[in-house]
Amino acid sequence: MLERTRFKKIAEDLKKRLKPSRYAHTVGVYHTAISLAMRYGVPLKKAAFAGLLHDCAKYGTDEEILAKCDKYGVVLTDEERLALPILHAKLGMYYAKERYGIADEDILNAISFHTTGRIAMSDLEKIIFVADYIEPGRTEAPRLDEIRAEAFKNMDAAICMIYEDTLAYLKAKNRAIESTTLNAFHYYKTKIGD
């Protein structure tokens, strides 16, 4: 009962802080994360909190998010400072811990790496990474229906597909590609044997 009350308070706080469209996305990720957690045997509570909090710092401009990272001592690499749209994940991990009292390292890592992924992600990290991409409100990504189906059959294959499409998008837009993303793509590509 205590966890349910805590979850509800966090959801209410996020509804006030986030734009309605961002909050709707958050709810979509939460539901998708729960579904994937049931499929892959991950604790539902962890998936619920990670899904709910994954974008808890995604308000304000990229520059404001960078300034908050600096203000709160969130450690960033030089590469991350050049890829501003991913910084809300690092700041979100800080907020989850400091503002919302999350102490579980797996939940914190799932929030921190939901934009880039990383080599050898935990099952929860994979779930949040994938749920963020495939939640029902997403409509623009190529191969979305294919990736959604694959996510419930072979998570690592779905991750590879997400990386392929994300890297193609970043290259087309001439945006910085952070090495964590590139290294993780190669890791999962090798893992599934393509």
Side-chain angles (χ1 to χ4, degrees):
M1 190 62 153
L2 183 61
E3 289 298 330
R4 188 174 292 164
T5 301
R6 182 175 173 215
F7 186 87
K8 188 176 178 185
K9 283 183 180 180
I10 292 171
E12 288 168 1
D13 185 64
L14 291 175
K15 194 169 188 176
K16 290 177 202 165
R17 291 178 188 274
L18 302 175
K19 290 180 186 176
S21 60
R22 177 63 45 195
Y23 186 73
H25 164 72
T26 294
V27 171
V29 171
Y30 155 75
H31 286 294
T32 305
I34 291 290
S35 298
L36 289 167
M38 285 189 272
R39 163 62 179 90
Y40 290 103
V42 170
L44 299 185
K45 182 176 97 172
K46 285 181 152 198
F49 277 100
L52 182 67
L53 287 166
H54 84 285
D55 270 354
C56 68
K58 194 152 184 173
Y59 55 90
T61 66
D62 289 341
E63 291 74 21
E64 289 169 337
I65 291 170
L66 175 60
K68 287 177 185 174
C69 285
D70 290 338
K71 176 182 176 181
Y72 297 123
V74 176
V75 178
L76 303 173
T77 66
D78 290 339
E79 264 188 323
E80 288 169 334
R81 289 178 176 280
L82 296 174
L84 295 180
I86 69 169
L87 295 186
H88 71 279
K90 297 278 183 169
L91 184 60
M93 181 185 74
Y94 173 83
Y95 283 170
K97 189 174 189 176
E98 301 299 325
R99 182 180 288 166
Y100 300 111
I102 302 296
D104 184 298
E105 287 298 318
D106 199 20
I107 295 172
L108 295 172
N109 285 331
I111 295 165
S112 182
F113 292 103
H114 83 268
T115 56
T116 61
R118 67 173 172 166
I119 291 171
M121 287 186 273
S122 72
D123 288 343
L124 179 62
E125 289 174 70
K126 290 178 185 181
I127 283 170
I128 301 305
F129 178 81
V130 171
D132 184 42
Y133 196 85
I134 68 167
E135 64 93 0
R138 296 277 196 200
T139 58
E140 300 299 314
R143 302 191 299 167
L144 201 47
D145 289 338
E146 238 182 288
I147 295 169
R148 283 176 174 144
E150 193 64 37
F152 288 89
K153 292 187 272 181
N154 183 331
M155 182 72 78
D156 290 345
I159 288 168
C160 276
M161 294 169 76
I162 291 168
Y163 277 129
E164 286 167 352
D165 292 354
T166 300
L167 291 169
Y169 172 82
L170 292 172
K171 285 176 188 171
K173 295 286 185 181
N174 202 28
R175 291 206 185 152
I177 298 173
E178 210 248 349
S179 63
T180 304
T181 300
L182 212 46
N183 293 337
F185 168 63
H186 292 302
Y187 172 85
Y188 284 99
K189 195 79 169 156
T190 302
K191 191 173 180 192
I192 65 165
D194 276 354

